[in-house]
Amino acid sequence: MTSLLFCGPKLSACLLVLSIWAVIMMAMLGIFFSTHSALLLEDVPFTEEDIHDEQTALQNIHRLFNQVGYNCFIAAAIYVVVGFVSFCQVRLNKRNEYLVH
């Protein structure tokens, strides 16, 4: 029978802790970008063309804020998957400790 174990106990525990932190961090960043936090304006990738037109400058900046927020939520979802795989690896390593070879 093939084993699905591909990470050791230390690596899987480290990845689990890092992915939990990353999910929290990316979700909070996604929320703050989606609410158009002024403190994060420097992290929005806008160009001169985006703010050149006075009629649509604010809409362009809000659109870019929302786009960055969605990207943060996508990154959080990817970290949820990584955390789930790491959790499975931790469980498999714990089970492997109790098996007699």
Side-chain angles (χ1 to χ4, degrees), residues 1-13:
M1 174 141 167
T2 62
S3 175
L4 297 175
L5 188 63
F6 57 85
C7 289
K10 292 178 185 177
L11 178 62
S12 59

Side-chain angles (χ1 to χ4, degrees), residues 5 83-93:
L5 188 63
F84 178 73
V85 170
S86 299
F87 178 74
C88 291
Q89 291 297 304
V90 167
R91 295 287 302 231
L92 286 173
N93 279 312

Side-chain angles (χ1 to χ4, degrees), residues 11-86:
L11 178 62
S12 59
C14 179
L15 287 176
L16 181 62
V17 170
L18 286 176
S19 63
I20 290 171
W21 171 249
V23 167
I24 294 169
M25 184 71 184
M26 286 294 152
M28 289 177 62
L29 275 175
I31 290 169
F32 293 143
F33 274 114
S34 295
T35 59
H36 310 145
S37 177
L39 294 174
L40 296 172
L41 181 63
E42 294 177 356
D43 297 321
V44 176
F46 62 88
T47 61
E48 289 291 327
E49 291 83 27
D50 292 329
I51 59 174
H52 183 67
D53 186 18
E54 296 173 1
Q55 301 289 334
T56 62
L58 189 61
Q59 288 84 10
N60 289 339
I61 298 298
H62 282 228
R63 180 182 51 81
L64 290 171
F65 264 107
N66 288 335
Q67 182 181 2
V68 174
Y70 293 145
N71 289 344
C72 288
F73 289 131
I74 290 169
I78 291 171
Y79 278 116
V80 165
V81 172
V82 171
F84 178 73
V85 170
S86 299

